[in-house]
Amino acid sequence: AIADAGGANAVSFLQAGTGAVPRTAEDKMRETVSVHDYGAAGDGTTDDLAAIQKAINYIASIGGGYVRLGRGNYKVSSTLTVASDSVWLVGEGPFATKITCTANTSACLNFTGWRCGLKNLSIVFTAPAAGATAVLVSGADFKFNDLFIDNVDIGIDINGSDIVNGADFHITNYLTNGLKARNGALAVHISSLIINAGSGTNGATGGIRLENFVDAFMAVNGSVLQGLFGLVTEAATFSVGLRPGNSNFTCVYFDSAVQNPALLKDITNT
């Protein structure tokens, strides 16, 4: 707090440069929202779940924006939910900002709102079991980039979302899937990716898994390494209109225990 009778609201701020107008220091400081404003510690010990959720809820209440997670290790004991539109979680880099999830059978981050995003941080589980999913997405027009995801059951699960764009991400040491798209997911475009199972016995259902009518899945420039299977497509009913289709992989290298194709040219599945 500012030591003044009126606090930050009584202190004037004037930006440098011609045309700047004075405003209160309080107004200036509220330009950004940090999880620390709501009590997050980021010390790897304190449960920061409630503090981060409060920051998410506030940004949602004003119509969207960035929720900033500074340097630190943010422990969460359950799922963080982003249910409103246009809310982004933003760290300071995947090796500076980490979310550690101790709820090892559920999603760490659940995005159901539209036009949301995630960038510049890492997500790790302490002891992942079935269902430990770093990022679960069902809202449309989702974007993610510059992520490091480690020690999970499923890295990113795209469930029925339209228009998902991801770039510059690394998913490692997953049990079941690195990235899964399912149930009518449409126009999922990813690039500059590394998906590494970390073991030849992980990834029994695919480093990348396309399940139940995934359409227009595009992957460019990356590697899917180790694990039993690099790429798996599946549908509950293998008939026209239900199985995954119109998928394209360009310069994606697959190296798995069962299949090892190097896809160095455009390969399209229709």
Side-chain angles (χ1 to χ4, degrees):
I2 294 177
D4 187 277
N9 196 42
V11 178
S12 180
F13 171 83
L14 182 65
Q15 186 61 269
T18 303
V21 296
R23 54 184 175 140
T24 65
E26 179 180 81
D27 186 38
K28 172 65 177 175
M29 289 186 286
R30 285 182 174 175
E31 282 184 348
T32 61
V33 173
S34 166
V35 296
H36 291 276
D37 298 335
Y38 295 86
D43 59 8
T45 302
T46 304
D47 187 356
D48 288 324
L49 177 75
I52 298 173
Q53 191 64 60
K54 287 176 183 177
I56 291 170
N57 294 347
Y58 171 70
I59 284 292
S61 74
I62 62 172
Y66 282 3
V67 175
R68 298 188 180 275
L69 294 90
R71 286 180 168 272
N73 180 5
Y74 299 89
K75 182 178 116 176
V76 296
S77 59
S78 189
T79 302
L80 291 164
T81 300
V82 181
S84 298
D85 300 346
S86 303
V87 175
W88 281 67
L89 301 187
V90 181
E92 292 192 5
F95 298 103
T97 301
K98 178 166 72 171
I99 299 175
T100 299
C101 189
T102 60
N104 291 297
T105 59
S106 59
C108 182
L109 300 175
N110 182 17
F111 289 86
T112 61
W114 286 33
R115 297 178 296 278
C116 294
L118 180 66
K119 65 180 180 178
N120 301 340
L121 52 80
S122 64
I123 302 168
V124 61
F125 282 82
T126 53
T133 303
V135 183
L136 175 60
V137 181
S138 57
D141 198 7
F142 181 78
K143 294 180 174 63
F144 64 93
N145 66 276
D146 204 12
L147 301 182
F148 182 79
I149 295 172
D150 186 24
N151 205 36
V152 295
D153 181 37
I154 299 171
I156 299 174
D157 184 356
I158 301 164
N159 184 13
S161 300
D162 293 349
I163 313 173
V164 175
N165 290 280
D168 300 312
F169 64 96
H170 186 170
I171 300 171
T172 188
N173 296 317
Y174 63 85
L175 300 178
T176 302
N177 303 119
L179 185 145
K180 177 163 71 171
R182 59 188 171 116
N183 298 333
L186 173 65
V188 177
H189 299 165
I190 59 174
S191 63
S192 301
L193 57 127
I194 298 175
I195 297 175
N196 189 335
S199 166
T201 59
N202 288 340
T205 62
I208 294 177
R209 180 177 178 83
L210 309 180
E211 179 183 310
N212 290 338
F213 189 51
V214 175
D215 199 16
F217 183 97
M218 309 290 174
V220 180
N221 297 335
S223 298
V224 182
L225 306 171
Q226 300 191 38
L228 284 171
F229 293 96
L231 172 64
V232 171
T233 64
E234 183 177 352
T237 303
F238 282 92
S239 60
V240 175
L242 292 178
R243 60 181 179 263
N246 301 307
S247 302
N248 183 284
F249 294 81
T250 302
C251 296
V252 178
Y253 176 73
F254 287 88
D255 178 17
S256 61
V258 177
Q259 56 185 14
N260 301 289
L263 303 186
L264 301 178
K265 297 182 179 179
D266 291 356
I267 294 182
T268 304
N269 170 37
T270 59

